[in-house]
Amino acid sequence: ETHYLAGGNVLNVARALIAADKANIQLTFKRAVAIDLAGRDVEEAVRTSVQPKVIDCPHPDKTPLGLDAVAKDGIRLLVKARVTVRANIERLVGGAGEDTIVARVGQGIVSAIGSSPTYKDVLENPDMISRKVLNSGLDAQTGFEIVSIDIADISVAGMGDVANVGAKLETERAEADKKMRQAEAEGRKAMAVAQEQEMRALVQEMNAKVIEARADVPRALAEALRSGNMGAIDFYRLQNIESDTAMRRNIAGEDSRNDI
Protein backbone atom coordinates (compact mmCIF):
# COMPACT_ATOMS: atom_id res chain seq x y z
CA GLU A 1 0.00 0.00 0.00
CA THR A 2 2.81 2.44 0.86
CA HIS A 3 4.57 1.72 -2.43
CA TYR A 4 1.33 2.21 -4.36
CA LEU A 5 0.69 5.53 -2.63
CA ALA A 6 4.27 6.60 -3.48
CA GLY A 7 3.46 6.15 -7.17
CA GLY A 8 5.20 2.81 -7.64
CA ASN A 9 4.21 -0.09 -9.87
CA VAL A 10 3.18 -2.79 -7.41
CA LEU A 11 2.48 -5.44 -10.05
CA ASN A 12 5.84 -4.88 -11.69
CA VAL A 13 7.61 -5.22 -8.35
CA ALA A 14 5.70 -8.41 -7.57
CA ARG A 15 6.56 -9.97 -10.93
CA ALA A 16 10.20 -8.97 -10.47
CA LEU A 17 10.35 -10.61 -7.02
CA ILE A 18 8.83 -13.81 -8.40
CA ALA A 19 11.23 -13.89 -11.36
CA ALA A 20 14.21 -13.22 -9.08
CA ASP A 21 13.18 -16.02 -6.74
CA LYS A 22 12.82 -18.47 -9.64
CA ALA A 23 16.24 -17.43 -11.00
CA ASN A 24 17.85 -17.69 -7.55
CA ILE A 25 18.73 -13.97 -7.53
CA GLN A 26 18.87 -12.21 -4.19
CA LEU A 27 16.37 -9.36 -4.46
CA THR A 28 14.63 -8.03 -1.38
CA PHE A 29 11.32 -6.23 -1.45
CA LYS A 30 12.97 -3.06 -0.15
CA ARG A 31 15.54 -3.01 -2.97
CA ALA A 32 12.92 -3.83 -5.61
CA VAL A 33 10.79 -0.93 -4.38
CA ALA A 34 13.81 1.41 -4.45
CA ILE A 35 14.65 0.37 -8.03
CA ASP A 36 11.05 0.89 -9.11
CA LEU A 37 10.79 4.31 -7.48
CA ALA A 38 14.09 5.30 -9.10
CA GLY A 39 12.32 5.10 -12.46
CA ARG A 40 13.85 1.84 -13.65
CA ASP A 41 11.96 -1.21 -14.84
CA VAL A 42 12.76 -3.66 -12.05
CA GLU A 43 11.24 -6.60 -13.92
CA GLU A 44 13.38 -5.80 -16.98
CA ALA A 45 16.41 -5.53 -14.68
CA VAL A 46 15.80 -9.02 -13.34
CA ARG A 47 15.40 -10.40 -16.87
CA THR A 48 18.63 -8.69 -17.93
CA SER A 49 20.40 -10.23 -14.95
CA VAL A 50 19.26 -13.67 -16.07
CA GLN A 51 19.63 -13.13 -19.80
CA PRO A 52 22.21 -10.43 -20.69
CA LYS A 53 21.25 -7.93 -23.38
CA VAL A 54 23.30 -6.68 -26.31
CA ILE A 55 23.89 -2.97 -26.90
CA ASP A 56 25.13 -1.58 -30.20
CA CYS A 57 28.06 0.79 -29.93
CA PRO A 58 27.58 3.35 -31.30
CA HIS A 59 23.82 3.63 -31.66
CA PRO A 60 22.94 2.84 -35.30
CA ASP A 61 20.44 5.69 -35.44
CA LYS A 62 22.89 8.30 -34.16
CA THR A 63 26.09 7.12 -35.87
CA PRO A 64 25.26 4.77 -38.74
CA LEU A 65 28.82 4.62 -40.09
CA GLY A 66 30.33 3.53 -36.78
CA LEU A 67 32.98 4.88 -34.45
CA ASP A 68 35.59 7.06 -36.13
CA ALA A 69 39.13 6.27 -34.95
CA VAL A 70 42.61 7.02 -36.30
CA ALA A 71 45.69 4.84 -35.79
CA LYS A 72 49.18 6.28 -35.26
CA ASP A 73 50.01 5.93 -38.96
CA GLY A 74 47.16 8.32 -39.77
CA ILE A 75 44.76 5.77 -41.31
CA ARG A 76 41.13 6.33 -40.37
CA LEU A 77 39.03 3.33 -39.32
CA LEU A 78 35.29 2.88 -38.87
CA VAL A 79 34.36 0.48 -36.08
CA LYS A 80 31.10 -1.05 -34.88
CA ALA A 81 30.96 -3.00 -31.63
CA ARG A 82 28.37 -4.99 -29.72
CA VAL A 83 28.46 -4.83 -25.94
CA THR A 84 26.86 -7.59 -23.89
CA VAL A 85 25.77 -6.35 -20.47
CA ARG A 86 24.11 -7.85 -17.43
CA ALA A 87 22.07 -5.77 -14.99
CA ASN A 88 23.75 -5.25 -11.63
CA ILE A 89 20.93 -5.24 -9.10
CA GLU A 90 23.16 -3.82 -6.39
CA ARG A 91 24.06 -0.72 -8.44
CA LEU A 92 20.84 -0.05 -10.31
CA VAL A 93 19.83 2.69 -7.89
CA GLY A 94 22.14 5.64 -8.57
CA GLY A 95 24.14 3.85 -11.25
CA ALA A 96 24.63 5.17 -14.77
CA GLY A 97 22.59 3.78 -17.65
CA GLU A 98 23.15 2.35 -21.12
CA ASP A 99 24.19 5.65 -22.67
CA THR A 100 27.14 5.85 -20.29
CA ILE A 101 28.18 2.30 -21.19
CA VAL A 102 28.04 3.14 -24.90
CA ALA A 103 30.01 6.36 -24.42
CA ARG A 104 32.71 4.68 -22.32
CA VAL A 105 33.09 1.74 -24.68
CA GLY A 106 33.32 4.10 -27.65
CA GLN A 107 35.95 6.16 -25.89
CA GLY A 108 37.92 3.03 -25.01
CA ILE A 109 37.83 1.73 -28.60
CA VAL A 110 38.96 5.06 -30.04
CA SER A 111 41.77 5.26 -27.47
CA ALA A 112 42.89 1.68 -28.13
CA ILE A 113 43.00 2.21 -31.90
CA GLY A 114 44.77 5.53 -31.45
CA SER A 115 47.54 3.81 -29.49
CA SER A 116 48.06 1.15 -32.19
CA PRO A 117 51.19 1.71 -34.33
CA THR A 118 49.43 0.91 -37.61
CA TYR A 119 45.91 0.22 -38.78
CA LYS A 120 47.04 -3.23 -39.95
CA ASP A 121 47.57 -4.30 -36.35
CA VAL A 122 43.96 -3.42 -35.60
CA LEU A 123 42.62 -5.25 -38.65
CA GLU A 124 44.71 -8.34 -37.88
CA ASN A 125 43.81 -8.51 -34.18
CA PRO A 126 40.48 -6.82 -33.44
CA ASP A 127 40.17 -8.94 -30.30
CA MET A 128 43.17 -7.03 -28.94
CA ILE A 129 40.98 -3.91 -28.92
CA SER A 130 38.18 -5.83 -27.21
CA ARG A 131 40.44 -7.16 -24.47
CA LYS A 132 42.04 -3.79 -23.85
CA VAL A 133 38.68 -2.06 -23.54
CA LEU A 134 37.15 -4.83 -21.45
CA ASN A 135 40.01 -4.71 -18.95
CA SER A 136 39.56 -0.95 -18.43
CA GLY A 137 36.74 -1.34 -15.89
CA LEU A 138 34.29 0.72 -17.92
CA ASP A 139 31.26 -0.55 -15.99
CA ALA A 140 32.30 1.17 -12.76
CA GLN A 141 29.53 3.25 -11.15
CA THR A 142 26.97 1.96 -13.65
CA GLY A 143 23.90 -0.21 -13.25
CA PHE A 144 25.35 -2.87 -15.54
CA GLU A 145 28.17 -5.36 -15.68
CA ILE A 146 29.94 -5.69 -19.02
CA VAL A 147 30.09 -9.36 -19.99
CA SER A 148 31.86 -9.01 -23.33
CA ILE A 149 32.78 -6.51 -26.03
CA ASP A 150 32.81 -7.84 -29.57
CA ILE A 151 33.96 -5.97 -32.67
CA ALA A 152 31.11 -6.48 -35.12
CA ASP A 153 32.64 -4.60 -38.04
CA ILE A 154 35.85 -2.74 -38.74
CA SER A 155 36.91 -1.18 -42.02
CA VAL A 156 39.10 1.50 -43.50
CA ALA A 157 37.20 4.70 -44.24
CA GLY A 158 36.40 5.27 -47.92
CA MET A 159 38.42 7.67 -50.02
CA GLY A 160 35.52 10.11 -50.05
CA ASP A 161 35.70 10.18 -46.27
CA VAL A 162 39.44 10.95 -46.20
CA ALA A 163 40.84 7.57 -45.21
CA ASN A 164 44.42 8.73 -44.67
CA VAL A 165 44.03 11.49 -42.13
CA GLY A 166 47.79 11.67 -41.60
CA ALA A 167 48.45 12.38 -45.27
CA LYS A 168 45.69 14.97 -45.34
CA LEU A 169 47.16 16.74 -42.32
CA GLU A 170 50.63 16.68 -43.88
CA THR A 171 49.21 18.13 -47.10
CA GLU A 172 47.42 20.89 -45.23
CA ARG A 173 50.56 21.64 -43.22
CA ALA A 174 52.64 21.81 -46.42
CA GLU A 175 50.07 24.12 -48.01
CA ALA A 176 50.10 26.35 -44.93
CA ASP A 177 53.92 26.46 -44.98
CA LYS A 178 53.81 27.34 -48.68
CA LYS A 179 51.43 30.23 -48.07
CA MET A 180 53.57 31.44 -45.18
CA ARG A 181 56.72 31.37 -47.34
CA GLN A 182 54.87 33.22 -50.10
CA ALA A 183 53.75 35.85 -47.62
CA GLU A 184 57.33 36.22 -46.37
CA ALA A 185 58.59 36.55 -49.96
CA GLU A 186 55.97 39.20 -50.70
CA GLY A 187 57.04 41.03 -47.56
CA ARG A 188 60.70 40.95 -48.59
CA LYS A 189 59.74 42.12 -52.09
CA ALA A 190 57.77 45.03 -50.65
CA MET A 191 60.71 45.94 -48.43
CA ALA A 192 63.06 45.83 -51.43
CA VAL A 193 60.75 48.09 -53.44
CA ALA A 194 60.49 50.51 -50.52
CA GLN A 195 64.27 50.51 -50.12
CA GLU A 196 64.69 51.17 -53.84
CA GLN A 197 62.35 54.14 -53.60
CA GLU A 198 64.32 55.41 -50.62
CA MET A 199 67.57 55.13 -52.59
CA ARG A 200 66.05 57.03 -55.51
CA ALA A 201 64.85 59.75 -53.17
CA LEU A 202 68.33 59.88 -51.64
CA VAL A 203 69.90 60.24 -55.12
CA GLN A 204 67.51 63.08 -55.92
CA GLU A 205 68.43 64.72 -52.64
CA MET A 206 72.16 64.40 -53.41
CA ASN A 207 71.62 65.84 -56.92
CA ALA A 208 69.76 68.76 -55.41
CA LYS A 209 72.67 69.39 -53.04
CA VAL A 210 75.13 69.25 -55.98
CA ILE A 211 73.06 71.76 -57.95
CA GLU A 212 72.84 73.94 -54.87
CA ALA A 213 76.62 73.74 -54.42
CA ARG A 214 77.18 74.65 -58.09
CA ALA A 215 74.95 77.66 -57.66
CA ASP A 216 77.30 78.89 -54.94
CA VAL A 217 80.35 78.80 -57.28
CA PRO A 218 79.64 82.09 -59.15
CA ARG A 219 78.95 83.87 -55.89
CA ALA A 220 82.18 82.51 -54.43
CA LEU A 221 84.15 83.66 -57.51
CA ALA A 222 82.61 87.12 -57.35
CA GLU A 223 83.45 87.35 -53.66
CA ALA A 224 87.02 86.20 -54.34
CA LEU A 225 87.47 88.84 -57.07
CA ARG A 226 85.92 91.52 -54.88
CA SER A 227 88.11 90.67 -51.91
CA GLY A 228 91.28 90.41 -54.00
CA ASN A 229 91.85 86.72 -53.29
CA MET A 230 91.68 86.04 -57.04
CA GLY A 231 93.05 88.18 -59.84
CA ALA A 232 91.69 88.74 -63.32
CA ILE A 233 94.35 86.49 -64.83
CA ASP A 234 93.36 83.68 -62.48
CA PHE A 235 89.74 84.17 -63.46
CA TYR A 236 90.52 84.02 -67.19
CA ARG A 237 92.68 80.95 -66.63
CA LEU A 238 89.77 79.27 -64.83
CA GLN A 239 87.43 80.11 -67.70
CA ASN A 240 89.93 78.66 -70.19
CA ILE A 241 90.07 75.45 -68.16
CA GLU A 242 86.27 75.21 -68.14
CA SER A 243 86.12 75.85 -71.89
CA ASP A 244 88.81 73.26 -72.53
CA THR A 245 86.93 70.74 -70.38
CA ALA A 246 83.66 71.44 -72.20
CA MET A 247 85.41 71.01 -75.56
CA ARG A 248 86.90 67.69 -74.50
CA ARG A 249 83.47 66.49 -73.42
CA ASN A 250 81.96 67.50 -76.74
CA ILE A 251 84.74 65.73 -78.62
CA ALA A 252 84.19 62.61 -76.53
CA GLY A 253 80.50 62.76 -77.34
CA GLU A 254 81.17 63.06 -81.08
CA ASP A 255 83.61 60.12 -80.92
CA SER A 256 80.97 58.01 -79.18
CA ARG A 257 78.41 58.78 -81.87
CA ASN A 258 80.93 57.98 -84.62
CA ASP A 259 81.65 54.61 -83.01
CA ILE A 260 77.97 53.79 -83.08
Side-chain angles (χ1 to χ4, degrees), residues 64-70 74-79 155-166 168-169 172:
L65 294 179
L67 293 170
D68 199 330
V70 180
I75 302 300
R76 180 166 164 252
L77 299 175
L78 299 177
V79 184
S155 60
V156 178
M159 293 303 295
D161 297 325
V162 188
N164 196 332
V165 178
K168 184 175 184 295
L169 292 176
E172 291 179 352

Side-chain angles (χ1 to χ4, degrees), residues 2-141:
T2 304
H3 183 56
Y4 177 77
L5 294 176
N9 191 332
V10 178
L11 293 178
N12 201 24
V13 171
R15 285 194 293 265
L17 290 172
I18 294 172
D21 182 66
K22 296 295 183 182
N24 198 22
I25 297 175
Q26 292 184 356
L27 178 64
T28 63
F29 175 76
K30 184 177 180 180
R31 183 171 295 278
V33 167
I35 294 173
D36 185 63
L37 292 178
R40 295 182 182 271
D41 190 338
V42 63
E43 185 181 4
E44 175 66 21
V46 172
R47 281 201 299 267
T48 306
S49 297
V50 177
Q51 184 177 359
K53 65 183 297 186
V54 178
I55 304 173
D56 290 323
C57 179
H59 290 297
D61 297 336
K62 297 180 180 179
T63 314
L65 294 179
L67 293 170
D68 199 330
V70 180
K72 284 185 177 180
D73 58 356
I75 302 300
R76 180 166 164 252
L77 299 175
L78 299 177
V79 184
K80 294 180 181 179
R82 297 177 70 85
V83 185
T84 304
V85 296
R86 179 190 296 117
N88 191 325
I89 302 295
E90 301 295 328
R91 295 202 302 254
L92 272 179
V93 178
E98 293 183 12
D99 290 340
T100 301
I101 293 290
V102 172
R104 289 182 180 180
V105 171
Q107 179 182 353
I109 291 175
V110 172
S111 176
I113 293 177
S115 62
S116 300
T118 66
Y119 77 100
K120 295 180 181 179
D121 296 338
V122 180
L123 295 179
E124 291 175 358
N125 300 303
D127 57 331
M128 173 185 65
I129 304 298
S130 301
R131 290 195 303 269
K132 188 172 183 179
V133 176
L134 189 60
N135 294 332
S136 300
L138 302 179
D139 53 4
Q141 304 300 320

